Every structure is written in C-alpha cells, then in structure tokens.
Amino acid sequence: MTLEETIAKLVDANHILAQERVVDAFGHISVRHPERPDRFLLSCSRSPELVTPRDIMEFTLDGIPVDAAGRKPYFERFIHGAIFAIRPEVHSVVHNHSYDVIPFAVSKTPLRPVFHGAGNLGKSMPVWDIRTKFGATNMLVNDIDKGRDMATALGSNTVVLMRGHGCTVVGQTIEEAVLSSVYLQVNARLQTTAMQFGDVSYLHDDEIDVMQAARAAAPGNDRAWEYLLARSRR
Ligand SMILES: [Zn+2]
C-alpha cells in the first residue's frame, strides 16, 4: 500500500474501533510506516471517532514525532514504537481500555478464547503490571522505558493485558489488529457470561494452533472488515 492508502485505512480503523466501543475518548491504533519500517503512523491526541487523515503523525520507534506541526501526540505513543522495535512481523498495534476486558487484567481468572472468532488471540494472554518495575505511577505508558517493559511482557503473543488499565493487541496488518481487538472484547463478554453458568469449555490448544496457522487466509476476514467498515459509516 502507498502512504496515502495506509493513512486512509488507518483512519477507517479508528472509526471502526470507535463504532464497536473498543475505544472511546481514549485508546489508539498505529501502523508501521509502509516505506520506513523504523517509523510508525498514529493519530495526534484525538478521540478515534473524530480522526481524519490530517491528524495522522509520523513517529520514530522511540516515540519522537518526526514533524509535529503543532499537533499534540498521545501520551501513550510509546506502547506502539516499543512493540514495532522488537516484533518485525507486527505492522499494526491497538491500545484500548475496553471495559469488558479489564476485569481479566485485575483478577486471577485468565482470559482465554471461548469461540472460534477468538482463536487468533492465541493460547496465552499475559498480564503486565506496571507496578512491578515502576512502582506507584498514574498507570500510563508515558515513556519509552515503560513501553519496552510492556512489550517484553507481550513477548511473542497477540494480546497483553495491562493491570488496572486495559490491553494492547498486535496484528500483521491493520485489519488483523482491528479484528483481534473487536473479537477480544466479544470473547471477554462471552467468557464472562459463560462463567456464570459454571465450568467453561475453552478452545483447546490444538484448535488454536490450527486457527493461528491459517490466520492470514482465515475465511471471513475480508467479510468481517467490510461489515465493520459499513457499520462505522452509517
Ligand atoms: Zn491507556
């Protein structure tokens, strides 16, 4: 994709995540720069629902704006650069504070895929606790050291939960990061409901392996993106 096409898709992704309530006034999505793998694109500090192409800023992987042009960046831009730096196959990162997901970041109950739409989320969704290394903070990933510590906790996984805060989700494409974020939230709701009925039958590890192996060609991905995009434009 060209830079212009990439920015247009990133704007669409902002609107989809807002429509699905994965993000509200807060939360953001980035994409690796299509021509400069050592840089990434992310909106300035705006609610995702309102983001336009003119809001998209370029950053180094340390979270330094290349040309801010008077725009104010998100405090938590370091989440994105730190992950792009250690995960070369990742091309898009979503950070959000989904209220359905947070209970699993603050309790002893692991969040695990319960339905086929969540198979790509993987077998493990670790919880990162900012307090372990940084003590008492305002909970925000507001410098590169915190970003790197969170990225280390993410490791090779797709999702990292953030204690008392939210979560971060990665994808090899914008579409993958958006769909995983949407279905992470759906899975959290379904798991919460199922747990009220008693023991839950989660997806088995070998089933998750099958789905992850076919993730790029997963049937329905294009259909899901088209559906979500149409909903965001109503
Ligand atoms: Zn946050």
Side-chain angles (χ1 to χ4, degrees), residues 99-119 121-127 159 161 182-203 208:
Y99 302 135
D100 297 301
V101 174
I102 287 175
F104 294 94
V106 298
S107 67
K108 298 276 185 257
T109 301
L111 182 53
R112 293 174 57 188
V114 293
F115 82 122
H116 68 95
L121 301 178
K123 288 179 268 196
S124 170
M125 296 185 233
V127 178
V159 177
L161 305 180
V182 169
Y183 288 115
L184 174 67
Q185 179 171 264
V186 172
N187 192 88
R189 284 182 199 149
L190 294 177
Q191 185 176 340
T192 300
T193 302
M195 285 169 57
Q196 294 169 32
F197 299 152
D199 288 342
V200 178
S201 292
Y202 296 96
L203 293 190
I208 292 172

mmCIF file of all heavy atoms in Angstrom, residues 99-119 121-127 159 161 182-203 208:
data_model
loop_
_atom_site.group_PDB
_atom_site.id
_atom_site.type_symbol
_atom_site.label_atom_id
_atom_site.label_comp_id
_atom_site.label_asym_id
_atom_site.label_seq_id
_atom_site.Cartn_x
_atom_site.Cartn_y
_atom_site.Cartn_z
ATOM 1 N N TYR A 99 -13.910 -1.945 28.644
ATOM 2 C CA TYR A 99 -14.425 -2.245 29.983
ATOM 3 C C TYR A 99 -14.796 -3.710 30.147
ATOM 4 O O TYR A 99 -14.938 -4.199 31.260
ATOM 5 C CB TYR A 99 -15.641 -1.357 30.299
ATOM 6 C CG TYR A 99 -15.321 0.118 30.216
ATOM 7 C CD1 TYR A 99 -16.165 1.000 29.565
ATOM 8 C CD2 TYR A 99 -14.160 0.625 30.787
ATOM 9 C CE1 TYR A 99 -15.865 2.348 29.487
ATOM 10 C CE2 TYR A 99 -13.847 1.966 30.711
ATOM 11 C CZ TYR A 99 -14.701 2.836 30.059
ATOM 12 O OH TYR A 99 -14.393 4.150 29.972
ATOM 13 N N ASP A 100 -14.966 -4.416 29.039
ATOM 14 C CA ASP A 100 -15.239 -5.853 29.123
ATOM 15 C C ASP A 100 -13.969 -6.654 29.383
ATOM 16 O O ASP A 100 -14.016 -7.747 29.944
ATOM 17 C CB ASP A 100 -15.886 -6.343 27.819
ATOM 18 C CG ASP A 100 -17.218 -5.682 27.570
ATOM 19 O OD1 ASP A 100 -18.109 -5.825 28.424
ATOM 20 O OD2 ASP A 100 -17.367 -4.995 26.544
ATOM 21 N N VAL A 101 -12.845 -6.122 28.948
ATOM 22 C CA VAL A 101 -11.568 -6.843 29.050
ATOM 23 C C VAL A 101 -10.892 -6.602 30.393
ATOM 24 O O VAL A 101 -10.264 -7.517 30.955
ATOM 25 C CB VAL A 101 -10.641 -6.428 27.880
ATOM 26 C CG1 VAL A 101 -9.249 -7.043 28.027
ATOM 27 C CG2 VAL A 101 -11.264 -6.824 26.533
ATOM 28 N N ILE A 102 -11.009 -5.391 30.931
ATOM 29 C CA ILE A 102 -10.271 -5.018 32.150
ATOM 30 C C ILE A 102 -10.491 -5.986 33.320
ATOM 31 O O ILE A 102 -9.526 -6.283 34.050
ATOM 32 C CB ILE A 102 -10.583 -3.550 32.544
ATOM 33 C CG1 ILE A 102 -9.877 -2.605 31.557
ATOM 34 C CG2 ILE A 102 -10.121 -3.247 33.969
ATOM 35 C CD1 ILE A 102 -10.196 -1.137 31.760
ATOM 36 N N PRO A 103 -11.703 -6.533 33.535
ATOM 37 C CA PRO A 103 -11.846 -7.468 34.663
ATOM 38 C C PRO A 103 -10.836 -8.615 34.638
ATOM 39 O O PRO A 103 -10.401 -9.089 35.692
ATOM 40 C CB PRO A 103 -13.282 -7.975 34.518
ATOM 41 C CG PRO A 103 -14.002 -6.837 33.866
ATOM 42 C CD PRO A 103 -12.999 -6.242 32.906
ATOM 43 N N PHE A 104 -10.418 -9.040 33.445
ATOM 44 C CA PHE A 104 -9.463 -10.140 33.337
ATOM 45 C C PHE A 104 -8.030 -9.671 33.585
ATOM 46 O O PHE A 104 -7.127 -10.494 33.750
ATOM 47 C CB PHE A 104 -9.573 -10.797 31.955
ATOM 48 C CG PHE A 104 -10.903 -11.479 31.754
ATOM 49 C CD1 PHE A 104 -11.956 -10.810 31.143
ATOM 50 C CD2 PHE A 104 -11.104 -12.766 32.202
ATOM 51 C CE1 PHE A 104 -13.187 -11.427 30.972
ATOM 52 C CE2 PHE A 104 -12.328 -13.394 32.037
ATOM 53 C CZ PHE A 104 -13.378 -12.720 31.430
ATOM 54 N N ALA A 105 -7.827 -8.352 33.595
ATOM 55 C CA ALA A 105 -6.497 -7.801 33.888
ATOM 56 C C ALA A 105 -6.327 -7.513 35.373
ATOM 57 O O ALA A 105 -5.232 -7.169 35.807
ATOM 58 C CB ALA A 105 -6.275 -6.516 33.079
ATOM 59 N N VAL A 106 -7.405 -7.645 36.140
ATOM 60 C CA VAL A 106 -7.344 -7.289 37.569
ATOM 61 C C VAL A 106 -7.809 -8.441 38.466
ATOM 62 O O VAL A 106 -8.018 -8.243 39.660
ATOM 63 C CB VAL A 106 -8.196 -6.024 37.863
ATOM 64 C CG1 VAL A 106 -7.652 -4.836 37.089
ATOM 65 C CG2 VAL A 106 -9.671 -6.239 37.545
ATOM 66 N N SER A 107 -8.002 -9.612 37.871
ATOM 67 C CA SER A 107 -8.444 -10.765 38.660
ATOM 68 C C SER A 107 -7.526 -11.945 38.363
ATOM 69 O O SER A 107 -6.631 -11.858 37.527
ATOM 70 C CB SER A 107 -9.897 -11.122 38.309
ATOM 71 O OG SER A 107 -9.966 -11.591 36.975
ATOM 72 N N LYS A 108 -7.768 -13.034 39.035
ATOM 73 C CA LYS A 108 -6.918 -14.223 38.832
ATOM 74 C C LYS A 108 -7.448 -15.104 37.697
ATOM 75 O O LYS A 108 -6.876 -16.155 37.416
ATOM 76 C CB LYS A 108 -6.882 -15.049 40.128
ATOM 77 C CG LYS A 108 -6.275 -14.289 41.308
ATOM 78 C CD LYS A 108 -4.746 -14.384 41.295
ATOM 79 C CE LYS A 108 -4.130 -13.754 42.520
ATOM 80 N NZ LYS A 108 -3.546 -12.449 42.268
ATOM 81 N N THR A 109 -8.554 -14.689 37.076
ATOM 82 C CA THR A 109 -9.145 -15.512 36.022
ATOM 83 C C THR A 109 -8.493 -15.202 34.678
ATOM 84 O O THR A 109 -8.586 -14.070 34.198
ATOM 85 C CB THR A 109 -10.656 -15.236 35.910
ATOM 86 O OG1 THR A 109 -11.263 -15.537 37.167
ATOM 87 C CG2 THR A 109 -11.286 -16.093 34.818
ATOM 88 N N PRO A 110 -7.806 -16.188 34.068
ATOM 89 C CA PRO A 110 -7.192 -15.917 32.757
ATOM 90 C C PRO A 110 -8.259 -15.699 31.686
ATOM 91 O O PRO A 110 -9.316 -16.333 31.706
ATOM 92 C CB PRO A 110 -6.401 -17.197 32.461
ATOM 93 C CG PRO A 110 -6.327 -17.948 33.741
ATOM 94 C CD PRO A 110 -7.537 -17.552 34.542
ATOM 95 N N LEU A 111 -7.975 -14.788 30.782
ATOM 96 C CA LEU A 111 -8.814 -14.587 29.591
ATOM 97 C C LEU A 111 -8.345 -15.587 28.546
ATOM 98 O O LEU A 111 -7.158 -15.639 28.209
ATOM 99 C CB LEU A 111 -8.638 -13.153 29.096
ATOM 100 C CG LEU A 111 -9.439 -12.669 27.891
ATOM 101 C CD1 LEU A 111 -10.925 -12.905 28.068
ATOM 102 C CD2 LEU A 111 -9.184 -11.191 27.661
ATOM 103 N N ARG A 112 -9.282 -16.418 28.073
ATOM 104 C CA ARG A 112 -8.913 -17.463 27.109
ATOM 105 C C ARG A 112 -9.966 -17.537 26.016
ATOM 106 O O ARG A 112 -11.152 -17.302 26.284
ATOM 107 C CB ARG A 112 -8.844 -18.826 27.818
ATOM 108 C CG ARG A 112 -7.721 -18.923 28.827
ATOM 109 C CD ARG A 112 -7.789 -20.218 29.605
ATOM 110 N NE ARG A 112 -7.764 -21.400 28.733
ATOM 111 C CZ ARG A 112 -7.964 -22.641 29.171
ATOM 112 N NH1 ARG A 112 -8.219 -22.864 30.449
ATOM 113 N NH2 ARG A 112 -7.936 -23.649 28.340
ATOM 114 N N PRO A 113 -9.557 -17.892 24.782
ATOM 115 C CA PRO A 113 -10.544 -17.978 23.701
ATOM 116 C C PRO A 113 -11.649 -18.991 24.022
ATOM 117 O O PRO A 113 -11.363 -20.134 24.403
ATOM 118 C CB PRO A 113 -9.709 -18.437 22.500
ATOM 119 C CG PRO A 113 -8.323 -17.960 22.797
ATOM 120 C CD PRO A 113 -8.188 -18.097 24.287
ATOM 121 N N VAL A 114 -12.900 -18.548 23.874
ATOM 122 C CA VAL A 114 -14.032 -19.444 24.102
ATOM 123 C C VAL A 114 -14.819 -19.736 22.835
ATOM 124 O O VAL A 114 -15.693 -20.590 22.847
ATOM 125 C CB VAL A 114 -15.021 -18.892 25.163
ATOM 126 C CG1 VAL A 114 -14.387 -18.844 26.541
ATOM 127 C CG2 VAL A 114 -15.575 -17.528 24.771
ATOM 128 N N PHE A 115 -14.518 -19.002 21.745
ATOM 129 C CA PHE A 115 -15.267 -19.257 20.499
ATOM 130 C C PHE A 115 -14.333 -19.058 19.307
ATOM 131 O O PHE A 115 -13.270 -18.455 19.416
ATOM 132 C CB PHE A 115 -16.523 -18.392 20.417
ATOM 133 C CG PHE A 115 -16.313 -16.979 19.931
ATOM 134 C CD1 PHE A 115 -16.988 -16.508 18.805
ATOM 135 C CD2 PHE A 115 -15.460 -16.116 20.602
ATOM 136 C CE1 PHE A 115 -16.808 -15.209 18.367
ATOM 137 C CE2 PHE A 115 -15.273 -14.807 20.153
ATOM 138 C CZ PHE A 115 -15.947 -14.363 19.033
ATOM 139 N N HIS A 116 -14.762 -19.594 18.158
ATOM 140 C CA HIS A 116 -13.865 -19.658 17.001
ATOM 141 C C HIS A 116 -13.359 -18.296 16.556
ATOM 142 O O HIS A 116 -12.235 -18.158 16.077
ATOM 143 C CB HIS A 116 -14.577 -20.364 15.834
ATOM 144 C CG HIS A 116 -15.711 -19.582 15.278
ATOM 145 N ND1 HIS A 116 -15.577 -18.752 14.194
ATOM 146 C CD2 HIS A 116 -16.999 -19.451 15.683
ATOM 147 C CE1 HIS A 116 -16.730 -18.163 13.938
ATOM 148 N NE2 HIS A 116 -17.606 -18.578 14.836
ATOM 149 N N GLY A 117 -14.175 -17.260 16.740
ATOM 150 C CA GLY A 117 -13.766 -15.921 16.309
ATOM 151 C C GLY A 117 -12.587 -15.372 17.088
ATOM 152 O O GLY A 117 -11.965 -14.389 16.672
ATOM 153 N N ALA A 118 -12.274 -16.006 18.207
ATOM 154 C CA ALA A 118 -11.191 -15.519 19.056
ATOM 155 C C ALA A 118 -9.962 -16.423 18.997
ATOM 156 O O ALA A 118 -9.008 -16.211 19.748
ATOM 157 C CB ALA A 118 -11.677 -15.394 20.499
ATOM 158 N N GLY A 119 -9.968 -17.424 18.111
ATOM 159 C CA GLY A 119 -8.855 -18.361 18.049
ATOM 160 C C GLY A 119 -7.520 -17.682 17.774
ATOM 161 O O GLY A 119 -6.479 -18.094 18.293
ATOM 162 N N LEU A 121 -6.419 -15.061 18.880
ATOM 163 C CA LEU A 121 -5.858 -14.341 20.033
ATOM 164 C C LEU A 121 -4.770 -15.150 20.718
ATOM 165 O O LEU A 121 -3.981 -14.598 21.490
ATOM 166 C CB LEU A 121 -6.970 -14.005 21.035
ATOM 167 C CG LEU A 121 -8.107 -13.151 20.466
ATOM 168 C CD1 LEU A 121 -9.170 -12.920 21.527
ATOM 169 C CD2 LEU A 121 -7.579 -11.812 19.954
ATOM 170 N N GLY A 122 -4.746 -16.450 20.467
ATOM 171 C CA GLY A 122 -3.645 -17.271 20.965
ATOM 172 C C GLY A 122 -3.932 -17.949 22.289
ATOM 173 O O GLY A 122 -4.939 -17.700 22.936
ATOM 174 N N LYS A 123 -2.971 -18.789 22.683
ATOM 175 C CA LYS A 123 -3.161 -19.619 23.873
ATOM 176 C C LYS A 123 -2.903 -18.861 25.158
ATOM 177 O O LYS A 123 -3.366 -19.247 26.222
ATOM 178 C CB LYS A 123 -2.208 -20.824 23.791
ATOM 179 C CG LYS A 123 -2.634 -21.838 22.742
ATOM 180 C CD LYS A 123 -1.671 -22.994 22.664
ATOM 181 C CE LYS A 123 -0.622 -22.727 21.636
ATOM 182 N NZ LYS A 123 0.122 -23.921 21.225
ATOM 183 N N SER A 124 -2.132 -17.800 25.068
ATOM 184 C CA SER A 124 -1.738 -17.083 26.287
ATOM 185 C C SER A 124 -1.947 -15.580 26.120
ATOM 186 O O SER A 124 -1.565 -15.006 25.096
ATOM 187 C CB SER A 124 -0.257 -17.376 26.578
ATOM 188 O OG SER A 124 0.212 -16.535 27.606
ATOM 189 N N MET A 125 -2.584 -14.960 27.102
ATOM 190 C CA MET A 125 -2.732 -13.501 27.119
ATOM 191 C C MET A 125 -2.173 -13.021 28.459
ATOM 192 O O MET A 125 -2.897 -12.921 29.450
ATOM 193 C CB MET A 125 -4.197 -13.116 26.952
ATOM 194 C CG MET A 125 -4.761 -13.534 25.594
ATOM 195 S SD MET A 125 -6.438 -12.973 25.309
ATOM 196 C CE MET A 125 -7.226 -14.522 24.860
ATOM 197 N N PRO A 126 -0.856 -12.762 28.513
ATOM 198 C CA PRO A 126 -0.222 -12.413 29.789
ATOM 199 C C PRO A 126 -0.723 -11.080 30.330
ATOM 200 O O PRO A 126 -1.217 -10.235 29.577
ATOM 201 C CB PRO A 126 1.266 -12.333 29.434
ATOM 202 C CG PRO A 126 1.310 -12.127 27.960
ATOM 203 C CD PRO A 126 0.094 -12.784 27.393
ATOM 204 N N VAL A 127 -0.603 -10.921 31.650
ATOM 205 C CA VAL A 127 -0.954 -9.653 32.305
ATOM 206 C C VAL A 127 0.334 -8.934 32.681
ATOM 207 O O VAL A 127 1.209 -9.512 33.342
ATOM 208 C CB VAL A 127 -1.803 -9.896 33.573
ATOM 209 C CG1 VAL A 127 -2.111 -8.558 34.259
ATOM 210 C CG2 VAL A 127 -3.094 -10.639 33.223
ATOM 211 N N VAL A 159 -1.844 -10.584 22.417
ATOM 212 C CA VAL A 159 -2.525 -9.709 23.376
ATOM 213 C C VAL A 159 -1.721 -9.642 24.663
ATOM 214 O O VAL A 159 -1.249 -10.669 25.156
ATOM 215 C CB VAL A 159 -3.933 -10.261 23.712
ATOM 216 C CG1 VAL A 159 -4.622 -9.390 24.772
ATOM 217 C CG2 VAL A 159 -4.797 -10.356 22.463
ATOM 218 N N LEU A 161 -2.549 -8.005 28.508
ATOM 219 C CA LEU A 161 -3.469 -7.273 29.377
ATOM 220 C C LEU A 161 -2.639 -6.395 30.304
ATOM 221 O O LEU A 161 -1.529 -6.765 30.696
ATOM 222 C CB LEU A 161 -4.330 -8.248 30.183
ATOM 223 C CG LEU A 161 -5.105 -9.287 29.362
ATOM 224 C CD1 LEU A 161 -5.916 -10.198 30.284
ATOM 225 C CD2 LEU A 161 -6.005 -8.622 28.344
ATOM 226 N N VAL A 182 -11.577 -6.307 18.271
ATOM 227 C CA VAL A 182 -13.040 -6.428 18.359
ATOM 228 C C VAL A 182 -13.411 -7.782 18.966
ATOM 229 O O VAL A 182 -14.234 -7.863 19.890
ATOM 230 C CB VAL A 182 -13.680 -6.266 16.963
ATOM 231 C CG1 VAL A 182 -15.157 -6.647 16.985
ATOM 232 C CG2 VAL A 182 -13.497 -4.831 16.464
ATOM 233 N N TYR A 183 -12.771 -8.861 18.471
ATOM 234 C CA TYR A 183 -13.154 -10.187 18.954
ATOM 235 C C TYR A 183 -12.581 -10.491 20.340
ATOM 236 O O TYR A 183 -13.124 -11.341 21.050
ATOM 237 C CB TYR A 183 -12.802 -11.256 17.916
ATOM 238 C CG TYR A 183 -13.736 -11.153 16.729
ATOM 239 C CD1 TYR A 183 -13.285 -10.799 15.463
ATOM 240 C CD2 TYR A 183 -15.107 -11.329 16.908
ATOM 241 C CE1 TYR A 183 -14.167 -10.640 14.402
ATOM 242 C CE2 TYR A 183 -15.990 -11.171 15.849
ATOM 243 C CZ TYR A 183 -15.517 -10.828 14.602
ATOM 244 O OH TYR A 183 -16.394 -10.665 13.571
ATOM 245 N N LEU A 184 -11.539 -9.776 20.744
ATOM 246 C CA LEU A 184 -11.078 -9.877 22.136
ATOM 247 C C LEU A 184 -12.173 -9.368 23.073
ATOM 248 O O LEU A 184 -12.480 -9.995 24.098
ATOM 249 C CB LEU A 184 -9.801 -9.048 22.323
ATOM 250 C CG LEU A 184 -9.286 -8.954 23.757
ATOM 251 C CD1 LEU A 184 -8.801 -10.307 24.250
ATOM 252 C CD2 LEU A 184 -8.167 -7.918 23.872
ATOM 253 N N GLN A 185 -12.766 -8.256 22.706
ATOM 254 C CA GLN A 185 -13.833 -7.686 23.533
ATOM 255 C C GLN A 185 -15.060 -8.611 23.550
ATOM 256 O O GLN A 185 -15.657 -8.858 24.615
ATOM 257 C CB GLN A 185 -14.224 -6.306 22.988
ATOM 258 C CG GLN A 185 -15.334 -5.636 23.744
ATOM 259 C CD GLN A 185 -15.528 -4.194 23.315
ATOM 260 O OE1 GLN A 185 -15.013 -3.275 23.931
ATOM 261 N NE2 GLN A 185 -16.263 -3.986 22.243
ATOM 262 N N VAL A 186 -15.408 -9.146 22.383
ATOM 263 C CA VAL A 186 -16.538 -10.077 22.310
ATOM 264 C C VAL A 186 -16.254 -11.315 23.156
ATOM 265 O O VAL A 186 -17.110 -11.799 23.911
ATOM 266 C CB VAL A 186 -16.818 -10.480 20.843
ATOM 267 C CG1 VAL A 186 -17.853 -11.598 20.775
ATOM 268 C CG2 VAL A 186 -17.272 -9.271 20.029
ATOM 269 N N ASN A 187 -15.019 -11.844 23.035
ATOM 270 C CA ASN A 187 -14.658 -13.038 23.810
ATOM 271 C C ASN A 187 -14.754 -12.781 25.313
ATOM 272 O O ASN A 187 -15.225 -13.636 26.066
ATOM 273 C CB ASN A 187 -13.237 -13.482 23.451
ATOM 274 C CG ASN A 187 -12.915 -14.862 23.998
ATOM 275 O OD1 ASN A 187 -13.173 -15.874 23.358
ATOM 276 N ND2 ASN A 187 -12.378 -14.915 25.218
ATOM 277 N N ALA A 188 -14.311 -11.582 25.737
ATOM 278 C CA ALA A 188 -14.381 -11.254 27.173
ATOM 279 C C ALA A 188 -15.834 -11.279 27.645
ATOM 280 O O ALA A 188 -16.140 -11.792 28.728
ATOM 281 C CB ALA A 188 -13.749 -9.889 27.421
ATOM 282 N N ARG A 189 -16.740 -10.740 26.830
ATOM 283 C CA ARG A 189 -18.170 -10.755 27.195
ATOM 284 C C ARG A 189 -18.692 -12.180 27.267
ATOM 285 O O ARG A 189 -19.385 -12.560 28.224
ATOM 286 C CB ARG A 189 -18.989 -9.992 26.137
ATOM 287 C CG ARG A 189 -18.856 -8.511 26.243
ATOM 288 C CD ARG A 189 -19.736 -7.846 25.181
ATOM 289 N NE ARG A 189 -19.288 -6.494 24.983
ATOM 290 C CZ ARG A 189 -19.357 -5.815 23.839
ATOM 291 N NH1 ARG A 189 -19.871 -6.384 22.764
ATOM 292 N NH2 ARG A 189 -18.931 -4.586 23.777
ATOM 293 N N LEU A 190 -18.370 -12.985 26.244
ATOM 294 C CA LEU A 190 -18.875 -14.358 26.203
ATOM 295 C C LEU A 190 -18.320 -15.179 27.355
ATOM 296 O O LEU A 190 -19.050 -15.952 27.984
ATOM 297 C CB LEU A 190 -18.498 -15.012 24.866
ATOM 298 C CG LEU A 190 -19.148 -14.421 23.616
ATOM 299 C CD1 LEU A 190 -18.608 -15.118 22.376
ATOM 300 C CD2 LEU A 190 -20.667 -14.537 23.680
ATOM 301 N N GLN A 191 -17.033 -15.006 27.646
ATOM 302 C CA GLN A 191 -16.426 -15.766 28.747
ATOM 303 C C GLN A 191 -17.054 -15.369 30.083
ATOM 304 O O GLN A 191 -17.339 -16.226 30.929
ATOM 305 C CB GLN A 191 -14.909 -15.544 28.770
ATOM 306 C CG GLN A 191 -14.209 -16.404 29.822
ATOM 307 C CD GLN A 191 -12.697 -16.271 29.799
ATOM 308 O OE1 GLN A 191 -12.111 -15.844 28.801
ATOM 309 N NE2 GLN A 191 -12.054 -16.626 30.903
ATOM 310 N N THR A 192 -17.292 -14.069 30.256
ATOM 311 C CA THR A 192 -17.921 -13.595 31.498
ATOM 312 C C THR A 192 -19.308 -14.206 31.659
ATOM 313 O O THR A 192 -19.694 -14.646 32.755
ATOM 314 C CB THR A 192 -18.019 -12.057 31.478
ATOM 315 O OG1 THR A 192 -16.696 -11.528 31.375
ATOM 316 C CG2 THR A 192 -18.681 -11.531 32.743
ATOM 317 N N THR A 193 -20.066 -14.260 30.572
ATOM 318 C CA THR A 193 -21.405 -14.851 30.616
ATOM 319 C C THR A 193 -21.324 -16.345 30.906
ATOM 320 O O THR A 193 -22.024 -16.865 31.784
ATOM 321 C CB THR A 193 -22.130 -14.630 29.272
ATOM 322 O OG1 THR A 193 -22.190 -13.237 29.022
ATOM 323 C CG2 THR A 193 -23.532 -15.209 29.293
ATOM 324 N N ALA A 194 -20.427 -17.036 30.178
ATOM 325 C CA ALA A 194 -20.329 -18.498 30.328
ATOM 326 C C ALA A 194 -19.907 -18.881 31.737
ATOM 327 O O ALA A 194 -20.381 -19.888 32.286
ATOM 328 C CB ALA A 194 -19.339 -19.058 29.299
ATOM 329 N N MET A 195 -19.032 -18.076 32.351
ATOM 330 C CA MET A 195 -18.544 -18.405 33.695
ATOM 331 C C MET A 195 -19.665 -18.356 34.733
ATOM 332 O O MET A 195 -19.589 -19.026 35.772
ATOM 333 C CB MET A 195 -17.405 -17.451 34.081
ATOM 334 C CG MET A 195 -16.102 -17.785 33.353
ATOM 335 S SD MET A 195 -14.833 -16.517 33.520
ATOM 336 C CE MET A 195 -14.700 -16.426 35.262
ATOM 337 N N GLN A 196 -20.708 -17.599 34.441
ATOM 338 C CA GLN A 196 -21.843 -17.546 35.373
ATOM 339 C C GLN A 196 -22.634 -18.848 35.363
ATOM 340 O O GLN A 196 -23.408 -19.133 36.284
ATOM 341 C CB GLN A 196 -22.757 -16.372 35.015
ATOM 342 C CG GLN A 196 -22.082 -15.027 35.231
ATOM 343 C CD GLN A 196 -22.864 -13.879 34.649
ATOM 344 O OE1 GLN A 196 -24.084 -13.905 34.614
ATOM 345 N NE2 GLN A 196 -22.165 -12.872 34.182
ATOM 346 N N PHE A 197 -22.445 -19.643 34.300
ATOM 347 C CA PHE A 197 -23.146 -20.927 34.203
ATOM 348 C C PHE A 197 -22.356 -22.063 34.845
ATOM 349 O O PHE A 197 -22.836 -23.177 34.941
ATOM 350 C CB PHE A 197 -23.407 -21.283 32.731
ATOM 351 C CG PHE A 197 -24.272 -20.292 31.999
ATOM 352 C CD1 PHE A 197 -24.142 -20.136 30.630
ATOM 353 C CD2 PHE A 197 -25.221 -19.521 32.663
ATOM 354 C CE1 PHE A 197 -24.938 -19.230 29.935
ATOM 355 C CE2 PHE A 197 -26.008 -18.617 31.980
ATOM 356 C CZ PHE A 197 -25.876 -18.464 30.622
ATOM 357 N N GLY A 198 -21.098 -21.795 35.208
ATOM 358 C CA GLY A 198 -20.271 -22.844 35.805
ATOM 359 C C GLY A 198 -19.006 -23.061 35.001
ATOM 360 O O GLY A 198 -18.455 -22.119 34.447
ATOM 361 N N ASP A 199 -18.546 -24.323 34.925
ATOM 362 C CA ASP A 199 -17.310 -24.624 34.213
ATOM 363 C C ASP A 199 -17.448 -24.282 32.727
ATOM 364 O O ASP A 199 -18.475 -24.576 32.105
ATOM 365 C CB ASP A 199 -16.972 -26.114 34.366
ATOM 366 C CG ASP A 199 -16.498 -26.429 35.782
ATOM 367 O OD1 ASP A 199 -16.110 -25.478 36.494
ATOM 368 O OD2 ASP A 199 -16.534 -27.609 36.162
ATOM 369 N N VAL A 200 -16.388 -23.735 32.173
ATOM 370 C CA VAL A 200 -16.399 -23.285 30.777
ATOM 371 C C VAL A 200 -15.545 -24.223 29.934
ATOM 372 O O VAL A 200 -14.447 -24.615 30.341
ATOM 373 C CB VAL A 200 -15.835 -21.851 30.677
ATOM 374 C CG1 VAL A 200 -15.796 -21.392 29.226
ATOM 375 C CG2 VAL A 200 -16.673 -20.892 31.533
ATOM 376 N N SER A 201 -16.032 -24.588 28.741
ATOM 377 C CA SER A 201 -15.219 -25.330 27.777
ATOM 378 C C SER A 201 -14.531 -24.325 26.866
ATOM 379 O O SER A 201 -15.172 -23.735 25.993
ATOM 380 C CB SER A 201 -16.094 -26.262 26.925
ATOM 381 O OG SER A 201 -16.606 -27.301 27.723
ATOM 382 N N TYR A 202 -13.249 -24.115 27.086
ATOM 383 C CA TYR A 202 -12.474 -23.189 26.253
ATOM 384 C C TYR A 202 -12.039 -23.897 24.976
ATOM 385 O O TYR A 202 -12.075 -25.134 24.887
ATOM 386 C CB TYR A 202 -11.239 -22.720 27.030
ATOM 387 C CG TYR A 202 -11.584 -21.916 28.267
ATOM 388 C CD1 TYR A 202 -11.645 -22.519 29.515
ATOM 389 C CD2 TYR A 202 -11.855 -20.557 28.177
ATOM 390 C CE1 TYR A 202 -11.972 -21.797 30.655
ATOM 391 C CE2 TYR A 202 -12.177 -19.818 29.312
ATOM 392 C CZ TYR A 202 -12.239 -20.452 30.551
ATOM 393 O OH TYR A 202 -12.569 -19.726 31.661
ATOM 394 N N LEU A 203 -11.603 -23.106 23.978
ATOM 395 C CA LEU A 203 -10.969 -23.722 22.822
ATOM 396 C C LEU A 203 -9.739 -24.489 23.312
ATOM 397 O O LEU A 203 -9.035 -24.046 24.215
ATOM 398 C CB LEU A 203 -10.532 -22.668 21.805
ATOM 399 C CG LEU A 203 -11.618 -21.870 21.079
ATOM 400 C CD1 LEU A 203 -10.985 -21.055 19.948
ATOM 401 C CD2 LEU A 203 -12.723 -22.758 20.530
ATOM 402 N N ILE A 208 -6.535 -23.940 18.661
ATOM 403 C CA ILE A 208 -5.958 -22.597 18.496
ATOM 404 C C ILE A 208 -4.776 -22.648 17.531
ATOM 405 O O ILE A 208 -4.606 -21.761 16.677
ATOM 406 C CB ILE A 208 -5.550 -22.034 19.871
ATOM 407 C CG1 ILE A 208 -6.813 -21.768 20.705
ATOM 408 C CG2 ILE A 208 -4.738 -20.756 19.722
ATOM 409 C CD1 ILE A 208 -6.550 -21.402 22.148
#
